[in-house]
Amino acid sequence: MCDDELIPPRADLTEEQWIRTAGPGLPDTAVPDGAQASGARGVHRRTLLGGAVAGAALAALPFGAQQPAAAAPRTGAPARFPLPSAPGPSGEYAVLITGDAGTGQAEQYAVTAAAREICRAEHVGLAVGLGDNIYENGPESDHDSEFAEKFESPNTGIDVPWLMVLGNHDCSGLVPGSGGDPSRGDREVAYAAASRRWYMPSRYYNVALPAGGAQGEPLVEFFALDTNPVASYVAQTDPYYYWNGPYMREQRRWLDGALSASRARWKVVLGHHPYLNNGKHGSAGAYDGFVIGNYTSGIHLKELYEEVVCGRADLILSGHDHTLQILDPTDRTRGTRQLVCGAAAKSGDGKAHFTHPAAWQDFAQHGFMLLKASAGTMTIDAYTVDIPTKKAGLAHRVRTARPVAARAKAGARAGAGALAGRYA
């Protein structure tokens, strides 16, 4: 759904409100101050869509048991750009981060032109696309010309694998951007068989670097999610994609197991819809002002992030909001940092709507980010782009030297030591 079609959100939890009313393990019925926990808050576009579209969609969408899509073996297709098998000259893996890019318009071309220069200077070996890859409806087939118009052509010269995730526009139902037909995302998985850049072996997946069976533990691992079935603007009508259906149950089991099994120093989760967000769409559990419902509010995505991701991954990278935000890790996130990077083709409304602690944020300009990971540090560089000149400027940099997992282990050891001393 386009930003200009939405009423700005009115409900979200500040850190203080979260600690007081909705901390870990408390019921999801808690609402922030001033919010009503019923449908009496007035008619909202999401409400109208959820009621009017769901009935019609019942006749349009398939039902029955399904399997997650996976990219089929390729025959006669060009060789993919390879995943990095070693860090760059500086000893770091450099990764381009973009989101909400797929318009094919001048702004997208300007941002990618600016990013191309930075990628060359920083020896970028991998890129990330955080969803809404093909505006406004997603592709009509796995060979839709929009793949060339809105991905391949704009990104010419950034010749690396792009780890792609599905956004709400990629899974449009009868209404563009509703996220009401997740099965449409299978077309983007299938397209990976024909593209050198587009990396999407399945709807959710993980990639560890270095690639190619290098010796030793991975330095950084990415976990790409499909957040659409638990953050759609309309209720899902295919039981397979219900918020508590087979697909989401399996994805949760996979993510929990993959994070547990990972031996990477740095762990990065990719999902189109953010956990925390100071932009107009708001945060999971209160998207666009909603604090009730299994879909529109994103309450079950909030659960997934809080119960499986927070405290285990170093970063959550998201788009959806057309802004640039480097939020601070807090007790609420158990040390995990949220980045919002959805300004690769569209920009925000110029103001913050919420007050989650932030190291830096920009709500008006286009831009992208760069993640650089070495054995010693992980760095995030945020760039804003001047569209007329197609030039990028470094706006902010944050760096951390201690992974979340290491901090968690240290805290557990300290707690165990204190407990032992107490009962000695």
Side-chain angles (χ1 to χ4, degrees):
M1 196 65 57
C2 300
D3 281 349
D4 56 5
E5 294 180 340
L6 293 174
I7 299 170
R10 291 173 291 173
D12 201 354
L13 299 179
T14 65
E15 290 296 310
E16 181 180 352
Q17 289 168 337
W18 178 85
I19 291 170
R20 176 163 48 85
T21 65
L26 296 181
D28 290 317
T29 54
V31 297
D33 294 341
Q36 301 177 26
S38 73
R41 297 180 58 228
V43 178
H44 186 283
R45 182 173 293 271
R46 284 191 171 209
T47 308
L48 294 173
L49 288 174
V53 176
L58 282 169
L61 297 181
F63 288 84
Q66 302 180 37
Q67 295 295 324
R74 309 184 316 157
T75 302
R80 289 190 180 105
F81 294 118
L83 292 165
S85 59
S90 64
E92 299 173 311
Y93 287 96
V95 182
L96 172 66
I97 305 168
T98 68
D100 300 69
T103 64
Q105 300 300 310
E107 293 83 359
Q108 181 186 7
Y109 274 87
V111 171
T112 54
R116 192 177 301 117
E117 292 186 11
I118 301 300
C119 287
R120 290 170 181 163
E122 296 283 356
H123 302 280
V124 164
L126 187 69
V128 168
L130 291 169
D132 284 356
N133 309 311
I134 307 293
Y135 280 106
E136 293 287 331
N137 302 317
E140 297 303 318
S141 70
D142 62 2
H143 54 276
D144 194 318
S145 62
E146 288 192 310
F147 283 112
E149 297 164 5
K150 298 178 179 180
F151 177 74
E152 302 289 355
S153 294
N155 293 317
T156 298
I158 307 180
D159 298 334
V160 299
W162 287 68
L163 308 186
M164 306 299 290
V165 301
L166 295 169
N168 53 293
H169 281 271
D170 303 305
C171 298
S172 295
L174 298 180
V175 177
S178 67
D181 186 2
S183 67
R184 290 175 67 96
D186 293 350
R187 300 165 185 173
E188 297 195 3
V189 175
Y191 179 70
S195 173
R196 301 189 70 187
R197 292 180 182 83
W198 189 285
Y199 189 98
M200 188 184 281
S202 56
R203 298 175 66 100
Y204 52 86
Y205 59 91
N206 54 315
V207 169
L209 301 181
Q215 296 296 317
E217 296 180 345
L219 183 62
V220 59
E221 188 164 3
F222 298 89
F223 305 83
L225 306 183
D226 174 11
T227 58
N228 289 285
V230 284
S232 55
Y233 283 71
V234 298
Q236 295 297 328
T237 56
D238 183 342
Y240 182 65
Y241 290 110
Y242 282 175
W243 68 268
N244 59 349
Y247 179 77
M248 285 308 303
R249 292 200 305 268
E250 179 55 36
Q251 184 173 191
R252 181 184 173 115
R253 283 193 295 267
W254 165 80
L255 179 61
D256 187 31
L259 284 169
S260 296
S262 176
R263 296 296 176 264
R265 177 168 177 80
W266 307 105
K267 301 176 181 65
V268 181
V269 169
L270 316 175
H272 178 67
H273 298 84
Y275 170 44
L276 299 180
N277 170 33
N278 284 332
K280 65 188 297 183
H281 281 309
S283 301
Y287 287 143
D288 297 294
F290 267 66
V291 292
I292 57 174
N294 290 325
Y295 298 99
T296 52
S297 68
I299 187 65
H300 298 295
L301 180 57
K302 175 179 180 286
E303 292 172 351
L304 180 66
Y305 280 137
E306 291 182 347
E307 295 171 8
V308 181
V309 176
C310 288
R312 301 172 74 188
D314 298 280
L315 296 173
I316 299 171
L317 307 187
S318 306
H320 195 49
D321 222 277
H322 302 157
T323 57
L324 300 166
Q325 303 172 50
I326 302 177
L327 301 186
D328 285 327
T330 64
D331 289 342
R332 175 179 185 171
T333 68
R334 300 199 296 280
T336 298
R337 183 188 294 275
Q338 170 78 67
L339 305 183
V340 179
C341 187
K346 300 184 178 185
S347 57
D349 61 1
K351 60 182 179 180
H353 290 261
F354 303 104
T355 58
H356 299 294
W360 174 86
Q361 49 195 354
D362 188 292
F363 298 93
Q365 300 189 74
H366 293 82
F368 58 90
M369 297 184 188
L370 221 63
L371 181 156
K372 295 182 284 188
S374 69
T377 61
M378 182 174 63
T379 303
I380 302 296
D381 291 342
Y383 290 87
T384 56
V385 174
D386 180 66
I387 297 300
T389 63
K390 303 178 182 179
K391 296 296 182 182
L394 179 62
H396 193 79
R397 172 175 289 163
V398 295
R399 180 178 287 125
T400 182
R402 196 174 189 190
V404 163
R407 293 196 292 269
K409 289 179 182 178
R413 286 195 298 269
L419 192 64
R422 179 179 177 184
Y423 291 101

